[in-house]
Amino acid sequence: MILGLETSCDETAAALVTADGRLLASIVATQTELHAQYGGVVPEIASRRHLELVAPVVREALQQARAGLDDIRAVAVTQGPGLIGALLVGVASAKAFAWARRLPLIPVDHLLGHVSSLYLQPLAAEPPFLCLLASGGHTMLLDVQEPTRYTVLGQTLDDAAGEAFDKGARLLGLAYPGGVEIDRLARQGDPEAYSFPVARVPGLDFSFSGLKTSLLYATRDLPPAELERRRSDLAASYQRAIVRALSERIVLAAERTGASQVAVVGGVAANSELRASLPAGALLAPLALCTDNAAMIASAARFLPELPYPQYLSLDAYAAA
Ligand code: KG4
Ligand code: ZN
């Protein structure tokens, strides 16, 4: 089996996946609470926490799978993009695990990792498909031709969809990370109470920064009690605007490319309204594998070339794609 490690942002994760895509264990140690008091991820704090958590999450994954280090055939790790210090902890740890047993190492791109959350059993999606990747750092429409080969059809020109959720949540006085909070609150609100327009940019690109500004205008003059009273309507209307922008673009891209399958992955793919708004038969990343995890990294590794020992000892991480 393949041991996967993921440390690109604020989740320290380890997973064990078999060559045929069965998920044997997936452990995610989230640092959310550590960063919440700062309203976002503090890179230096994240790196230090990864260092403390990386060995324990591997140990826990092995326990969950009732396996030992000797059962591992290869080590996969997120190489980038992400926070460089955080990535380096994962890459250095993966090298150490692999080196100690002379195992091969497989560096994995984080974005390909998200797409690969679709390849695990029982979903076991097979390309070609059109994929929306919507997370805290990225919003992209991908034309996936083969498991590890895709072209980018469109992407955000400013904020990522998850970032729009997080910034909106902040304006509404909700805790970080805000996507899941807005999702929850929106269920009690009226999505038609406010009309928040989303900029329609040409082609298949996205833009979310104007939306955030309209929420700012709608909230900044509200006295606290009034904001409290209208919060769920604001959340529902704001979420509706983001979901509409995403689902309209998926449908448009599918029409243009003639794709017969559409898929959604990434943290925002956990959003209940987005999941419900997609065409029947859409490939939805399993809920537990939408936000960052190592199962998707080990899954991708199954389709990527291995670096034999000791070729990978000088491997570096990359911050930007
Ligand atoms: O994929 P991910 O864990 O990290 C990145 O690679 O960026 O995505 C995190 C993002 C955050 O912005 C978070 O607010 C958003 O995904 N998110 C959600 C939901 N759950 C997480 N957004 C909307 N609805 C949700 N249920
Ligand atoms: Zn991610």
Side-chain angles (χ1 to χ4, degrees), residues 17-29:
V17 165
T18 61
D20 59 354
R22 276 179 301 125
L23 179 56
L24 302 180
S26 178
I27 303 293
V28 180

Side-chain angles (χ1 to χ4, degrees), residues 3 100 103 122 124 150 172 179 237 239-240 248 279 299 303:
L3 167 67
L103 296 173
Y150 57 72
L172 293 174
S237 305
Q239 172 171 287
R240 172 64 54 90
E248 276 176 15
S299 175
F303 305 98

Side-chain angles (χ1 to χ4, degrees), residues 162-241:
E163 207 177 342
F165 270 107
D166 295 340
K167 289 178 176 172
R170 201 177 182 152
L171 291 173
L172 293 174
L174 303 171
Y176 170 87
V180 68
E181 293 294 325
I182 290 190
D183 195 346
R184 202 185 344 237
L185 200 60
R187 284 174 211 159
Q188 305 149 25
D190 173 8
E192 306 295 338
Y194 294 83
S195 130
F196 292 123
V198 178
R200 284 213 168 67
V201 287
L204 292 171
D205 288 332
F206 302 87
S207 168
F208 292 107
S209 64
L211 176 65
K212 180 188 61 196
T213 309
S214 35
L215 182 63
L216 172 68
Y217 290 158
T219 53
R220 66 175 175 186
D221 297 327
L222 289 181
E226 198 55 20
L227 177 64
E228 177 74 44
R229 203 175 62 76
R230 299 194 193 179
R231 194 178 275 135
S232 55
D233 285 348
L234 286 160
S237 305
Y238 187 74
Q239 172 171 287
R240 172 64 54 90

Side-chain angles (χ1 to χ4, degrees), residues 31-113:
Q31 307 180 7
T32 304
E33 276 175 33
L34 197 60
H35 300 281
Q37 56 181 311
Y38 306 103
V41 180
V42 183
E44 179 66 22
I45 295 175
S47 312
R48 287 169 192 267
R49 193 72 181 128
H50 283 307
L51 213 46
E52 292 169 351
L53 291 170
V54 69
V57 293
V58 170
R59 207 174 301 133
E60 216 174 307
L62 287 167
Q63 273 169 11
Q64 194 174 75
R66 297 178 196 284
L69 285 169
D70 287 337
D71 299 311
I72 298 169
R73 197 194 51 74
V75 182
V77 64
T78 306
Q79 189 182 11
L83 303 171
I84 195 68
L87 288 161
L88 283 170
V89 175
V91 169
S93 307
K95 283 180 192 173
F97 279 115
W99 168 79
R101 280 155 203 275
R102 306 294 189 262
L103 296 173
L105 188 133
I106 308 162
V108 178
D109 183 88
H110 184 78
L111 305 184
L112 178 65

Side-chain angles (χ1 to χ4, degrees), residues 8 110 114 135 290-292 296:
S8 68
H110 184 78
H114 274 298
S135 68
C290 288
T291 47
D292 288 346
M296 65 188 199

